[in-house]
Amino acid sequence: MAKFSLFSEESNRSPLSRLWRKFKSNHPALVGLWVFVALTLLAMTAPFIAPYGINQQHGDALLLPPSWHELGDVRFILGTDDLGRDVLSRLMNGATFTFGLSIVAALVTTLIGVVLGTFAGISKGLRSSLLNHLLDITLSIPSLLLAIIIIAVLGPGLLNTVWAIIFALLPQHVHSVRNLVVEELSKDYISAFRLDGASKWQILIRGVLPNIYEHIVVIFTMALSTAILDIAALGFLKLGAQPPTTEWGAILAENLSLIYLAPWTVGLPGVLLFIAVLSTNLVGDGLRQVLKGRKVD
């Protein structure tokens, strides 16, 4: 009787609650999720909670090491740079540009990719062939190289960087969503929809999209980790965010000459980039494992 009640309780759970129960059993993915949430909150609140202004200089505190060093100062937990600016405040504000804008770019790319991918999935004949060949051509170009080409046309700058990342990631999104739609349209329940007289849009809205939204979330996390790296790489190459913008890649490029004199000014932005990408990948891997298990069920 107890087993039956447990089975009934499990079967009465919503799909999202069942997915969450499986996801939280993956401890690395759960830790990655909490780090992801913390970085998102930091990106939204950094300008308000940073202890100092991003360009506020302290003439008496040039190149101070982090506070735990014997030469450090408790006023500057992560030290200062060669202009006496607080490293912690600059890194906190940098989360808004590197991590926050990456989320925006990944969201916009995912939304556009779903629309175009769905259209490509339901297209047939010459139109489908042309779309497939266009996708194959663009997918042969690495996203960072494609972003650099777009930046060369639009010009350097943070806003242009976001657009370049969106256009660079879009082909992969369209291709992934198209494959999901084509696979879903070949299933038996779609034939049942057609026999019931459902239109093409009813099939998409009521049948296809509700069954692929979990995969779209996974695609979003993959795009986010790529966007973080690409925005930082463009900033490091001085093609993206320009000084005095506190984007993490731009901070790395600005302090590269200090790597031996003040390694914390270079190492700390690199550590944050590593943590941001790692947490995003952990969440994405956790979601993939949950969805794989859901298929088996």
Side-chain angles (χ1 to χ4, degrees):
M1 189 68 179
K3 290 183 179 180
F4 177 76
S5 62
L6 288 174
F7 177 78
S8 300
E9 182 181 351
E10 179 67 22
S11 61
N12 289 332
R13 291 176 179 270
S14 66
L16 284 178
S17 65
R18 289 198 296 269
L19 288 176
W20 168 246
R21 188 175 181 180
K22 293 180 181 179
F23 180 85
K24 69 180 182 180
S25 65
N26 186 333
H27 298 296
L30 191 61
V31 172
L33 178 63
W34 291 126
V35 174
F36 179 88
V37 172
L39 288 172
T40 303
L41 292 175
L42 178 62
M44 293 188 296
T45 61
F48 310 104
I49 64 175
Y52 301 100
I54 59 174
N55 293 315
Q56 184 178 348
Q57 300 180 12
H58 303 83
D60 60 337
L62 301 179
L63 291 177
L64 281 181
S67 60
W68 57 83
H69 192 275
E70 59 182 1
L71 300 177
D73 190 325
V74 293
R75 294 180 300 162
F76 310 104
I77 298 176
L78 298 182
T80 60
D81 60 11
D82 57 334
L83 297 178
R85 298 173 297 188
D86 181 46
V87 172
L88 175 62
S89 300
R90 291 176 62 78
L91 291 178
M92 290 174 67
N93 277 274
T96 303
F97 299 106
T98 305
F99 196 75
L101 290 181
S102 296
I103 293 177
V104 172
L107 279 173
V108 173
T109 305
T110 302
L111 291 174
I112 299 176
V114 169
V115 174
L116 296 181
T118 303
F119 176 76
I122 63 175
S123 298
K124 295 181 180 180
L126 180 61
R127 184 169 54 186
S128 176
S129 179
L130 289 175
L131 287 172
N132 289 336
H133 287 307
L134 181 61
L135 285 175
D136 290 339
I137 293 172
T138 52
L139 285 172
S140 65
I141 306 174
S143 62
L144 180 58
L145 178 58
L146 187 57
I148 291 175
I149 295 173
I150 297 171
I151 286 291
V153 176
L154 299 179
L158 195 57
L159 182 60
N160 288 344
T161 298
V162 176
W163 284 113
I165 297 299
I166 290 173
F167 288 123
L169 295 179
L170 194 56
Q172 182 63 51
H173 274 62
V174 175
H175 182 264
S176 299
V177 174
R178 176 195 172 277
N179 289 343
L180 289 172
V181 171
V182 170
E183 180 183 356
E184 208 66 26
L185 287 174
S186 64
K187 294 184 177 179
D188 292 337
Y189 79 94
I190 297 296
S191 300
F193 267 110
R194 291 195 177 103
L195 291 174
D196 286 339
S199 65
K200 181 185 298 184
W201 297 111
Q202 287 176 327
I203 292 173
L204 288 175
I205 295 173
R206 295 174 54 193
V208 175
L209 293 180
N211 283 286
I212 66 171
Y213 74 91
E214 299 102 333
H215 301 275
I216 293 173
V217 173
V218 175
I219 293 171
F220 166 76
T221 60
M222 295 172 61
L224 178 57
S225 62
T226 304
I228 294 171
L229 289 174
D230 286 356
I231 286 180
L234 290 173
F236 182 78
L237 295 172
K238 299 182 180 180
L239 297 173
Q242 303 296 307
T245 305
T246 55
E247 192 274 319
W248 292 340
I251 293 177
L252 274 170
E254 187 178 357
N255 295 319
L256 192 59
S257 60
L258 303 173
I259 189 170
Y260 297 111
L261 184 61
W264 60 90
T265 60
V266 178
L268 292 174
V271 169
L272 282 176
L273 281 170
F274 172 77
I275 291 174
V277 174
L278 178 62
S279 64
T280 304
N281 287 337
L282 285 175
V283 173
D285 288 340
L287 289 172
R288 277 192 288 272
Q289 291 179 12
V290 167
L291 293 173
K292 184 178 179 181
R294 182 171 179 263
K295 285 182 178 180
V296 172
D297 294 341

